[in-house]
Amino acid sequence: MKKNYSLRIFGILAKRVYKLSKKRKLGWSWQEAQKWTSANLFQLYKGKPLNSIKVTEVDVVIVSKLDATPISVSTPLPTPTPTVCFDPFNIPTKDLKDINWWMLQDQVAFFDNDLNMRVAIGSIIDTGVVKKSEIMNLNETVEDMRRAGFSSDENIIFKILVAPNKKDDGKPCSYYVLATLMGSPLDTETSMDEVLKVVTEEDLPAKLRKEREKKVSKRQEIIDLRIAKKKSAERKRPEKIEGRDEAERKEIEDTLKNLENLYAKKLISKELFQANVKELKAKLKLGGKI
């Protein structure tokens, strides 16, 4: 399988942009440098072999774009790689339902890497319209929201909008999915611009339907495993125990029982079951099979 170096390429380009912006005293933050890179530079290098990207040539292109002056003949402008976009209308409507804010990473990870997205949560994050594959780990964003004191009743919504400088023409690259807080200024501003279309699982092509089923199954495994571990962690410790080791042993044994029940009901895969049992048994220093 051909490796995707898009994130590494984007990182290299963004660092050069940020460095040159500092040199020119533009006052850009790291996020602003990333946005500029996404809008003005990344498409020129996306899909190119890593060893073909020369820092000196990249700097010439950046300077040229900053100055809006022609690039010298000795440094030809790279030919943009054709853009491939995932069609947002191949996402079942129920996969775009509102979620609790702490589920942001899980839900965004569920979407196709070629889907155009924008994640904008107040002053915490605004990715601009980029490919989902270019959005970094959102667990940090969730932790920032937790530290900011977001309440449990605040939800994140997903809506399909027409991309900037595009028309509502039905082409996949003409749209993007916005993830933002329900009732936020951005939610209100875009309320009249949402492109509404009801999509069911039956509307999907057979290949996408199968891929979605696998993703749903995998996500459910992870959720069930989290619930099993949470139940074990929340279980009240015995008031009188001979020592801490005995209490920890009981917690691990209870977790093993929860895993056995999930596996027996076919709610988690054999691989996931065996991996977690192995880890727990190592803590117990037990042998044999379950």
Side-chain angles (χ1 to χ4, degrees):
M1 182 182 292
K2 185 178 180 181
K3 290 186 178 180
N4 187 345
Y5 292 106
S6 293
L7 286 178
R8 288 182 62 184
I9 292 172
F10 183 83
I12 291 170
L13 299 177
K15 285 178 182 177
R16 299 309 301 172
V17 170
Y18 186 61
K19 184 174 181 179
L20 285 172
S21 73
K22 288 289 185 184
K23 189 174 181 180
R24 290 188 165 215
K25 298 181 180 180
L26 299 179
W28 288 0
S29 66
W30 170 239
Q31 282 189 333
E32 289 171 330
Q34 287 181 306
K35 286 183 182 179
W36 191 93
T37 302
S38 178
N40 298 279
L41 194 64
F42 181 59
Q43 290 302 324
L44 298 177
Y45 292 93
K46 183 179 178 182
K48 302 290 183 183
L50 272 175
N51 58 9
S52 71
I53 299 176
K54 309 300 181 185
V55 171
T56 52
E57 292 180 3
V58 169
D59 286 353
V60 172
V61 175
I62 295 171
V63 169
S64 175
K65 284 187 169 290
L66 287 173
D67 293 342
T69 57
I71 300 176
S72 64
V73 178
S74 60
T75 308
L77 187 67
T79 303
T81 304
T83 303
V84 177
C85 302
F86 182 82
D87 190 346
F89 299 112
N90 274 333
I91 302 175
T93 303
K94 66 180 183 180
D95 289 347
L96 295 172
K97 65 182 180 181
D98 307 340
I99 61 169
N100 299 115
W101 57 266
W102 57 84
M103 295 175 62
L104 177 62
Q105 166 63 20
D106 290 340
Q107 186 58 35
V108 171
F110 188 74
F111 296 132
D112 190 278
N113 280 336
D114 286 326
L115 176 69
N116 284 337
M117 285 201 72
R118 177 186 178 189
V119 179
I121 312 294
S123 61
I124 293 178
I125 187 174
D126 189 344
T127 63
V129 180
V130 297
K131 287 291 181 66
K132 195 219 83 172
S133 60
E134 297 168 30
I135 298 176
M136 303 303 178
N137 192 329
L138 291 173
N139 283 326
E140 294 180 9
T141 300
V142 171
E143 287 306 311
D144 287 341
M145 295 171 73
R146 198 184 308 280
R147 284 190 285 268
F150 277 65
S151 65
S152 59
D153 59 353
E154 292 188 82
N155 290 334
I156 289 176
I157 62 169
F158 297 89
K159 55 172 71 175
I160 299 174
L161 302 170
V162 177
N165 303 317
K166 297 288 186 178
K167 297 180 180 179
D168 185 4
D169 55 13
K171 297 177 181 179
C173 290
S174 296
Y175 306 90
Y176 71 98
V177 172
L178 170 67
T180 191
L181 284 173
M182 179 184 291
S184 66
L186 187 56
D187 178 22
T188 304
E189 290 170 16
T190 58
S191 60
M192 300 299 292
D193 302 324
E194 185 174 4
V195 183
L196 299 172
K197 181 180 179 181
V198 177
V199 180
T200 66
E201 294 174 62
E202 290 71 26
D203 295 326
L204 303 182
K207 182 181 178 181
L208 289 180
R209 200 158 54 240
K210 288 181 180 178
E211 289 176 357
R212 181 184 177 278
E213 288 171 358
K214 290 180 181 178
K215 286 184 178 180
V216 170
S217 177
K218 185 66 177 176
R219 182 169 63 177
Q220 192 59 48
E221 285 183 14
I222 295 172
I223 291 172
D224 290 337
L225 184 58
R226 285 178 182 169
I227 292 173
K229 289 185 175 180
K230 186 177 180 182
K231 283 182 178 179
S232 176
E234 291 177 347
R235 187 170 284 105
K236 188 177 180 181
R237 287 175 176 265
E239 293 183 4
K240 294 182 179 181
I241 56 176
E242 295 179 7
R244 188 179 66 180
D245 289 345
E246 183 178 337
E248 290 179 350
R249 173 180 289 273
K250 189 175 187 313
E251 283 191 3
I252 293 173
E253 289 174 345
D254 289 339
T255 302
L256 281 169
K257 288 179 182 178
N258 283 332
L259 286 170
E260 288 177 347
N261 290 332
L262 290 171
Y263 182 59
K265 295 176 182 178
K266 297 184 178 180
L267 294 176
I268 60 174
S269 68
K270 182 178 180 181
E271 291 77 13
L272 193 61
F273 171 69
Q274 290 178 333
N276 282 276
V277 167
K278 183 178 180 180
E279 179 184 345
L280 292 169
K281 275 192 168 187
K283 292 181 180 179
L284 282 174
K285 296 182 180 178
L286 293 177
K289 297 181 179 179
I290 290 183

